[in-house]
């Protein structure tokens, strides 16, 4: 059961095709769109401003999203947010990626098909052009992404769209085994296919 909390009479919304891990927390004005994936221990706190995940977006393990009054935090279609990232009052453009443990601050805009490198710090108000590679603390635009880099990012996001469905279909809470069973199967990349 997903941890969903109403505040000031506003209840989070989760599309039936989305998957939100039971250890994730959604508070208040949060809208999770179709085919989205929200990973374990993610926290989406819509208690000051709206948080919206558009179709096919993913927010991975231990991410934090928050906003402030009159400023939405939005991840546009196919947005991809790596483990442990923090997004505060910002907008992540269509098919963009924010790497693991990166921080994107208030009023920042990450342009469509851009990539924010792991552990980068995107300062408040930064406007990143589409198809940019962004790196550093503070972050700066390093170069334009290639067609192959954008295509690879899209494939990775499609794996998370498939994971949302696979999680809805097969994930369940169980007791751990005492030892691996004989001939134990593996979950491999061939198991994941785009939706």
């Amino acid at each position: 059961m997903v941890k969903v909390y109403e505040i000031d009479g506003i209840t989070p919304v989760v599309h039936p095709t989305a998957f939100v891990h039971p250890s994730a927390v959604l508070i208040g004005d949060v809208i999770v769109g179709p085919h989205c994936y929200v990973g374990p221990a993610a926290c989406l706190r819509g208690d000051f401003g709206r948080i919206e995940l558009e179709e096919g977006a993913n927010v991975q393990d231990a991410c934090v999203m928050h906003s402030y009054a009159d400023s939405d935090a939005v991840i546009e279609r196919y947005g991809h947010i790596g483990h442990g990232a923090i997004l505060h009052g910002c907008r992540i453009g269509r098919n963009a990626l924010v790497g693991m443990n990166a921080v994107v601050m208030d009023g920042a805009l990450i342009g469509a098909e851009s990539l924010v490198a792991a552990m980068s710090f995107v300062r408040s108000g930064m406007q990143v052009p589409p198809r940019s590679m962004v790196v550093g603390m503070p972050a700066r635009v390093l170069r334009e992404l290639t067609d192959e880099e954008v295509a690879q990012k899209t494939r990775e996001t499609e794996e998370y769209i498939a994971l949302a469905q696979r999680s809805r279909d097969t994930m369940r809470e169980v007791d751990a085994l005492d030892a691996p069973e004989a001939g134990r199967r593996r979950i491999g990349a061939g198991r994941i296919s785009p939706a």
Side-chain angles (χ1 to χ4, degrees):
M1 178 61 87
V2 176
K3 292 177 178 68
V4 175
Y5 300 93
E6 173 186 286
I7 190 168
D8 295 330
I10 299 174
T11 302
V13 175
V14 178
H15 192 276
T17 62
F19 174 78
V20 178
H21 191 274
S23 66
V25 177
L26 308 180
I27 300 170
D29 196 3
V30 176
I31 301 169
V32 178
H35 309 291
C36 290
Y37 174 89
V38 178
C43 179
L44 283 64
R45 255 184 64 210
D47 50 9
F48 285 116
R50 177 168 292 168
I51 294 171
E52 184 172 0
L53 278 59
E54 294 182 358
E55 180 180 1
N58 69 77
V59 175
Q60 298 171 20
D61 316 33
C63 288
V64 175
M65 284 187 74
H66 194 230
S67 196
Y68 55 92
D70 302 321
S71 176
D72 298 349
V74 177
I75 303 171
E76 294 182 9
R77 185 176 187 273
Y78 269 45
H80 190 106
I81 311 303
H83 314 295
I86 298 173
L87 306 181
H88 200 279
C90 59
R91 185 173 199 93
I92 309 303
R94 178 188 47 77
N95 203 29
L97 181 145
V98 175
M100 291 182 261
N101 289 313
V103 175
V104 183
M105 292 300 294
D106 301 314
L109 169 63
I110 306 302
E113 300 183 329
S114 289
L115 188 154
V116 176
M119 299 187 70
S120 294
F121 178 81
V122 178
R123 68 189 182 282
S124 294
M126 184 174 183
Q127 304 292 296
V128 174
R131 294 181 67 110
S132 296
M133 167 74 76
V134 179
V135 300
M137 293 205 248
R140 63 182 172 78
V141 174
L142 182 66
R143 63 176 173 82
E144 187 172 320
L145 293 176
T146 67
D147 290 342
E148 179 50 38
E149 287 169 324
V150 172
Q152 176 63 33
K153 184 269 161 212
T154 302
R155 287 189 294 272
E156 291 168 3
T157 299
E158 288 171 342
E159 290 177 2
Y160 269 90
I161 292 169
L163 179 60
Q165 170 136 10
R166 191 161 55 100
S167 296
R168 279 194 328 275
D169 293 346
T170 68
M171 187 182 290
R172 60 190 175 96
E173 188 171 356
V174 297
D175 293 326
L177 302 174
D178 293 334
E181 59 273 57
R184 183 177 176 89
R185 295 183 308 117
R186 291 180 177 269
I187 297 175
R191 171 81 171 85
I192 301 170
S193 60

